[in-house]
Amino acid sequence: MDQLVVLLIAVATSVALLALVSLGLAIIFGMMRVINFAHGEFIMLGGYATVLSANHGVNIWAAIFVVAPATVAAVGLVAERLIVRRFYGQTVMTLLATWGLSLFLIGAVTALFGNTTHGVAAPLGSVALGAYSVSAYQLVLIAVVAVLIVASLVALNRTSWGLVARGTMQNPEMASTLGIDPKRVYAVTFTAGAALAGLAGGLLAPISGVIPHMGASYVARAFVTVISGGTAMVTGMISAAALFGPIEALLSFATTPVIGQAGLLVAAVILLRLMPEGISGRFSGRRT
Amino acid sequence: MTGIRRHAAAVAFFGLLIAFAVAGPWIFELFALLQLSTFSALALATLGLAFVWGSMGILSFGHAAFFGLGAYAYAITVLNLADSTLALPLAILTPALFSLLLGYFLFFGRVGDVYLAVITLCVTLILFSFMNSTSDPSYRIGSAMLGGFNGINGVPPLNWPGEPDAFLSPEAMFRFCFVILALVYGLLYLLRLSAPGRIMVAVRENELRSQLLGYDTRLYKMAGFTVSAAIAGLAGALFTANAGFVGPTVFGLNQASQFLLWVVAGGLGTLAGPLVASFVFQYLANHLGTSQLINTSLVFGAIIIFLVLLMPRGILPAAQAAWVAAMVGRDACRSTSLTPPRHW
């Protein structure tokens, strides 16, 4: 029984982590069709912002929920203004430019903070579960991700800003005839996605520590999850995370984490063979 | 650029490569010779990508996967047989078969362009993390240990076919590499002029229209994908034979992206451009890497960003446009579209 609960928590954590690292990408790629190769580095920067500020005496929760998203949102805004906005509609060029950005960020962080792992202790200690103990931070993480997902769904579907954003993505010309400036909407959307990536990095930092090249391990998983999700950004991404998370967790549990990752990818390739439009493409219609 | 002049440029470039292969050993020091041989292997892989991406519009991040598979296939075969005669064909065959399997899922699943790029990238990264985790001695194929993060060391170079003890000298190796490079360039160029090559370009330009004209575009895409994978595999084998070493980094994100960068820098849609660009960039990277003045990633990232911002069509087309402008004395086509020029 206890063991089952522990396994369930492991699976839930796996799903939550997938959803967490994919959320910012779902906004940026799902809405704008911008392949942001620096997504992993945005997560990395969020992690660094949290670790550095927490080690300089900032309250850990403030470091995670304020410093990390704010820092990365600023980076995202600058990147959008200087680089990304020149390539809207040119997938390949965006991909290369953001890859350059990703290398640049890795190099900059390495030059500033060195090529070693920095960490910060996870708050809250652990919860006893019969013979096992689970880190309480994990449970908080699952809850936070759930709240984040609900919040982004509400923001996209139930606010006028979300309506404007979705409308602009569908038909920029029409939006601009209605007096909306698409450029601004793009900039805000990209910044919001960057902030979410930063928050993901901040939340991950106590678990995994931070190192300049940590982004690479998240970027592939995030892309696979978002793509398999299909047209409905957030809901599709969550369905994909809910499908892949257990696969990865159980395979990792049974064999090694590498086999778990490989299993995730194989599952995604097979899924896309069966549903080229992604999961939500099957029940298509709404783009949220 | 009319027909005859167009081919003249390609023939001249082919001749230049052959001349370089012949004369190289008399010009360069041993160290430069070895380095150029290694560069040429990566240039060969770039050529395969330039073809599949430029002519067919298939943006494959999986190129490093095929390159790495070829490299590992060569290393494992040579270590087991102590003879490279069979290793080269195997290094070509392994990634080709793998690309058929992957291509079936991608092209027959009608996966979109962007998705294809991401999935092939993921395949590469998975291979990377898999190879990284094979340090346990139980991961072995015959007498070759995969070696995990440390890779496989002491891979013997090429030997003359059927004579396991007669290794190629560095000079012979250099010539072999550059002749292969020239031949692959020539063959790809001819392929693009041939009927199937024309259809491949048609698939890139308008897949739906090609289908309506009765071509099974999926098969053409598969074919192009597999050809590029085979070339990448051969390149991987040559790379390993030159370096005497193969590690998981052949599957790394940097390797995967480098090929793309070189193709874009040289000019998408051309073959000679990416080939030259790969040499230029490798030389630069080595130069930066040895100087240790400043972080290489930082510099490279900045270079890429500026390159993409300033010359979105690549160096060769940009140079061509400038040349034409200088000759004709008017502003040459300045479109930032990715429609490749039809020469080289």
Side-chain angles (χ1 to χ4, degrees):
Chain A
M1 178 61 213
D2 289 342
Q3 197 174 3
L4 186 70
V5 172
V6 171
L7 190 63
L8 276 177
I9 289 176
V11 169
T13 308
S14 175
V15 173
L17 283 179
L18 264 184
L20 180 66
V21 297
S22 309
L23 193 57
L25 199 70
I27 303 280
I28 291 178
F29 176 70
M31 278 186 84
M32 304 161 77
R33 291 282 152 222
V34 166
I35 288 204
N36 175 23
F37 245 53
H39 180 72
E41 279 59 50
F42 283 4
I43 293 175
M44 180 268 290
L45 285 178
Y48 266 89
T50 297
V51 168
L52 292 172
S53 55
N55 289 343
H56 282 90
V58 179
N59 175 300
I60 179 81
W61 300 110
I64 291 173
F65 287 104
V66 180
V67 180
T71 312
V72 181
V75 174
L77 184 62
V78 172
E80 202 273 344
R81 292 282 81 188
L82 289 180
I83 302 167
V84 179
R85 74 185 169 99
R86 297 174 201 277
F87 301 114
Y88 284 132
Q90 302 178 26
T91 310
V92 173
M93 286 289 135
T94 315
L95 191 152
L96 282 163
T98 51
W99 173 57
L101 179 66
S102 129
L103 279 182
F104 181 82
L105 290 174
I106 293 174
V109 170
T110 310
L112 286 172
F113 308 114
N115 198 357
T116 51
T117 307
H118 295 267
V120 64
L124 299 179
S126 61
V127 179
L129 261 178
Y132 303 93
S133 71
V134 184
S135 128
Y137 184 75
Q138 254 186 18
L139 303 176
V140 171
L141 188 78
I142 296 170
V144 168
V145 173
V147 170
L148 272 180
I149 285 165
V150 172
S152 30
L153 279 172
V154 168
L156 284 169
N157 290 323
R158 295 273 178 271
T159 64
S160 60
W161 177 84
L163 186 67
V164 165
R166 284 184 294 130
T168 310
M169 300 310 155
Q170 272 186 21
N171 194 334
E173 290 82 8
M174 183 62 80
S176 57
T177 54
L178 294 170
I180 292 159
D181 182 2
K183 287 199 181 86
R184 259 196 73 204
V185 177
Y186 289 145
V188 170
T189 311
F190 193 87
T191 309
L196 281 169
L199 181 56
L203 283 164
L204 284 168
I207 300 179
S208 61
V210 290
I211 191 158
H213 53 79
M214 69 188 265
S217 56
Y218 296 116
V219 75
R221 273 190 264 171
F223 267 115
V224 166
T225 311
V226 172
I227 283 177
S228 306
T231 43
M233 282 164 306
V234 180
T235 36
M237 186 275 286
I238 295 155
S239 334
L243 175 70
F244 295 150
I247 292 177
E248 192 184 10
L250 295 172
L251 272 175
S252 304
F253 198 76
T255 52
T256 64
V258 173
I259 305 284
Q261 274 189 37
L264 190 158
L265 178 83
V266 171
V269 171
I270 292 171
L271 182 128
L272 281 174
R273 175 73 183 84
L274 301 172
M275 313 178 189
E277 294 287 300
I279 295 175
S280 59
R282 303 281 291 182
F283 322 100
S284 188
R286 302 180 51 212
R287 293 179 51 97
T288 48
Chain B
M1 294 260 180
T2 48
I4 290 183
R5 276 185 65 188
R6 177 171 84 184
H7 297 314
V11 170
F13 189 74
F14 178 83
L16 193 74
L17 281 175
I18 295 284
F20 195 75
V22 173
W26 299 322
I27 303 173
F28 296 106
E29 305 275 317
L30 182 62
F31 176 72
L33 213 59
L34 293 171
Q35 210 167 35
L36 278 168
S37 302
T38 311
F39 286 0
S40 76
L42 285 161
L44 183 62
T46 314
L47 209 51
L49 183 66
F51 165 73
V52 78
W53 186 14
S55 303
M56 306 206 58
I58 299 171
L59 173 51
S60 160
F61 254 97
H63 216 63
F66 302 135
F67 179 80
L69 280 173
Y72 269 97
Y74 173 84
I76 290 163
T77 318
V78 165
L79 286 174
N80 276 313
L81 300 180
D83 178 6
S84 70
T85 315
L86 258 179
L88 271 189
L90 265 175
I92 297 171
L93 210 61
T94 311
L97 288 174
F98 183 66
S99 73
L100 278 177
L101 180 75
L102 189 64
Y104 165 76
F105 276 102
L106 294 175
F107 301 125
F108 283 74
R110 299 210 177 279
V111 172
D113 289 351
V114 177
Y115 291 11
L116 190 128
V118 174
I119 289 182
T120 47
L121 172 70
C122 294
V123 170
T124 309
L125 290 179
I126 294 287
L127 280 169
F128 172 72
S129 48
F130 172 75
M131 275 301 168
N132 245 341
S133 66
T134 55
S135 45
D136 194 84
S138 65
Y139 286 101
R140 56 192 314 148
I141 300 178
S143 56
M145 291 209 199
L146 295 182
F149 187 72
N150 299 319
I152 304 175
N153 284 299
V155 182
L158 291 176
N159 53 258
W160 297 99
E163 297 175 42
D165 298 326
F167 292 119
L168 268 70
S169 63
E171 290 81 10
M173 191 76 198
F174 175 93
R175 287 185 170 141
F176 181 69
C177 285
F178 274 88
V179 166
I180 292 258
L181 196 60
L183 285 178
V184 170
Y185 170 78
L187 287 173
L188 284 178
Y189 190 83
L190 288 175
L191 176 63
R192 285 217 307 207
L193 295 176
S194 70
R198 293 284 184 213
I199 296 163
M200 285 175 177
V201 174
V203 171
R204 178 194 72 199
E205 292 297 323
N206 191 331
E207 190 171 351
L208 183 63
R209 192 175 293 171
S210 317
Q211 281 171 350
L212 292 172
L213 288 169
Y215 298 110
D216 189 346
T217 55
R218 297 171 307 182
L219 289 178
Y220 281 97
K221 281 182 160 182
M222 285 268 280
F225 196 55
T226 306
V227 165
S228 85
I231 294 172
L234 175 61
L238 291 178
F239 178 80
T240 310
N242 274 311
F245 159 81
V246 58
T249 44
V250 288
F251 295 119
L253 189 62
N254 275 351
Q255 187 67 275
S257 322
Q258 262 179 350
F259 292 137
L260 290 174
L261 167 70
W262 297 337
V263 172
V264 168
L268 186 59
T270 66
L271 291 172
L275 200 154
V276 173
S278 73
F279 279 101
V280 172
F281 273 87
Q282 286 180 85
Y283 174 77
L284 275 179
N286 260 339
H287 214 69
L288 281 173
T290 47
S291 67
Q292 285 297 339
L293 265 176
I294 192 160
N295 189 298
T296 321
S297 294
L298 190 98
V299 178
F300 249 70
I303 289 178
I304 294 159
I305 294 172
F306 277 107
L307 198 83
V308 176
L309 284 173
L310 297 176
M311 290 196 268
R313 290 178 55 210
I315 293 169
L316 182 68
Q320 258 175 350
W323 171 254
V324 170
M327 290 288 106
V328 181
R330 67 180 160 79
D331 207 354
C333 49
R334 279 178 152 232
S335 78
T336 51
S337 77
L338 281 174
T339 43
R342 299 268 181 274
H343 27 267
W344 296 76

